[in-house]
Amino acid sequence: MTITDSKYTEVIHAVEAGFAKHPKRLPSWLFYDEAGDKIFQAIMHMPEYYLTSCEYEILQSNKDKLYQYFSKHDDAFDLIELGAGDGLKTEIILRHFQDRKAAFRYMPIDVSATVLSSLTHRLADILPKLVVHPVNNRYDEALRTLYNDDVNRKVFLFLGANIGNFDPHEAENFVSMIASRMRQGDQLLIGFDLKKDPRLIQAAYDDPHGITRQFNMNLLIRLNRELGATFIPDQFRHYPCYDPETGMTKSYLVSLRAQDVYIAALQTSVHFDRWEVIHTEVSQKYDIPMIETIAAASELEIVDFLYDCKHYFCDVLFKKKN
Ligand code: AVJ
């Protein structure tokens, strides 16, 4: 496996800073190396992980409504996706918009050049007439450059409950950052996972197949490989925990014994007490008032709430206030 120097430096810094915190933390972007991408694909196929099929249903049953919202009076627009991943869900609306002869270009933004190039190649295969402009950059940088060079109306997509990796306060800041760039007429569609039966949520992150456990453990395997760390995955337990009061699911790796783990790239050992945790992820669940709070804080107007039939998930359409 090859990693770029800048990525390597980023991993070192993230791990060094994260292990200095109390409780110890690892950032959730660290999940997504080659193996992590594959395990996440498997997660999305588990029956317990209801999120994917719910949003799929929402996009499928609202594709024409979205076409009406996005294309307005048939003028050209840029469809900009933050964190496109494999683009499987987006494909539903891309295909439909093309069938309706919408004038738009698709601009997936991702920090990973590998993810972007495989997405671009796949789209060239299945939707050869689609105009695709990949943007290989961080979200904030990409947004800045997007507004430099042209006048097209813009529609942003932030799907898949990716916003859940932020806590509500961070989510507010992130949406405000996007909103501050948006111009009148621009729109933003965000996928939120909703509060529901706590046991259903718990099961989505604590599946009986052990796939989510593998997803978490892969962090340790990654650090062993990339940073010369000496984690023994079996010495940690995967423990996700949903709090129905705040709507926050937190995932942990819990140390099963007192241990010192040497990390070659940091030239130091990290100590773990027995039952000490590494907090690895936030998966925030929302209710409608929480979503309205985000809209108010970022001065966006809510245009529509699009639900699946069970109301487990919601794609919310926002627009820049007039
Ligand atoms: C990709 C952030 C939406 O939090 O539900 C799935 C990642 N973590 N199972 C989520 C994840 C554990 C996922 N997101």
Side-chain angles (χ1 to χ4, degrees):
M1 181 188 153
T2 55
I3 41 174
T4 63
D5 288 349
S6 73
K7 189 73 192 170
Y8 179 69
T9 317
E10 241 183 287
V11 172
I12 291 184
H13 287 319
V15 171
E16 192 172 29
F19 282 166
K21 290 184 181 160
H22 306 281
K24 294 184 172 68
R25 266 230 67 163
L26 289 173
S28 51
W29 56 260
L30 213 51
F31 284 122
Y32 303 94
D33 64 355
E34 231 177 285
D37 284 341
K38 286 211 184 87
I39 303 168
F40 185 58
Q41 292 293 325
I43 287 176
M44 289 194 289
H45 284 100
M46 311 187 303
E48 293 80 9
Y49 196 73
Y50 57 84
L51 292 79
T52 311
S53 54
C54 287
E55 195 175 41
Y56 202 89
E57 178 197 323
I58 293 170
L59 295 176
Q60 187 63 40
S61 51
N62 288 286
K63 60 188 178 187
D64 203 59
K65 201 173 189 187
L66 288 171
Y67 162 75
Q68 308 284 348
Y69 280 135
F70 294 173
S71 77
K72 289 194 173 166
H73 309 294
D74 282 344
D75 58 332
F77 66 95
D78 290 338
L79 186 64
I80 301 154
E81 181 158 24
L82 309 166
D86 68 0
L88 218 63
K89 280 171 298 216
T90 320
E91 199 183 307
I92 303 169
I93 55 174
L94 293 176
R95 196 179 289 276
H96 182 71
F97 292 1
Q98 217 179 39
D99 290 348
R100 297 293 309 258
K101 311 250 182 311
F104 73 107
R105 10 176 228 177
Y106 177 54
M107 307 176 77
I109 302 180
D110 210 293
V111 277
S112 159
T114 333
V115 163
L116 269 187
S117 89
S118 69
L119 173 63
T120 311
H121 282 110
R122 211 171 53 87
L123 287 173
D125 246 20
I126 57 170
L127 296 169
K129 276 180 278 175
L130 184 73
V131 183
V132 182
H133 284 254
V135 183
N136 185 202
N137 213 332
R138 296 159 42 127
Y139 295 156
D140 46 351
E141 282 299 306
L143 282 164
R144 208 167 46 78
T145 58
L146 284 177
Y147 277 102
N148 279 344
D149 64 331
D150 75 298
V151 292
N152 278 358
R153 200 159 50 73
K154 304 204 184 315
V155 177
F156 295 94
L157 303 176
F158 192 44
L159 303 177
N162 281 322
I163 196 163
N165 271 167
F166 298 122
D167 70 35
H169 180 71
E170 291 169 339
E172 232 174 76
N173 290 339
F174 184 73
V175 175
S176 296
M177 186 271 290
I178 300 171
S180 71
R181 295 280 176 192
M182 288 164 70
R183 295 182 294 219
Q184 236 181 69
D186 289 356
Q187 300 167 79
L188 167 64
L189 186 71
I190 303 182
F192 292 91
D193 192 19
L194 300 177
K195 290 181 178 178
K196 60 183 67 61
D197 180 349
R199 288 183 196 280
L200 259 164
I201 294 175
Q202 185 70 30
Y205 294 90
D206 199 10
D207 65 273
H209 326 284
I211 298 174
T212 312
R213 174 184 182 277
Q214 230 187 314
F215 186 62
N216 252 271
M217 289 300 173
N218 181 56
L219 283 174
L220 304 182
I221 296 166
R222 178 174 185 176
L223 299 190
N224 284 352
R225 186 185 58 242
E226 290 185 14
L227 303 189
T230 54
F231 285 99
I232 302 168
D234 281 353
Q235 298 297 345
F236 288 85
R237 175 156 299 157
H238 162 63
Y239 183 72
C241 184
Y242 174 62
D243 175 357
E245 184 184 344
T246 59
M248 189 179 283
T249 305
K250 288 188 197 167
S251 293
Y252 297 103
L253 289 167
V254 185
S255 176
L256 295 182
R257 56 164 198 181
Q259 52 183 318
D260 293 289
V261 177
Y262 183 68
I263 302 177
L266 300 179
Q267 294 187 314
T268 185
S269 286
V270 178
H271 178 76
F272 294 88
D273 287 331
R274 193 171 189 215
W275 306 127
E276 185 178 344
V277 302
I278 310 172
H279 174 201
T280 59
E281 191 179 33
V282 165
S283 300
Q284 181 69 43
K285 309 307 169 195
Y286 281 87
D287 54 33
I288 300 307
M290 291 165 79
I291 295 170
E292 287 168 342
T293 302
I294 289 184
S298 47
E299 295 188 43
L300 290 175
E301 207 170 291
I302 295 177
V303 178
D304 207 347
F305 294 100
L306 309 174
Y307 297 95
D308 60 294
C309 65
K310 298 196 199 103
H311 281 228
Y312 282 178
F313 200 95
C314 191
D315 277 350
V316 182
L317 184 61
F318 302 88
K319 72 167 184 185
K320 187 85 172 180
K321 272 190 190 158
N322 294 328

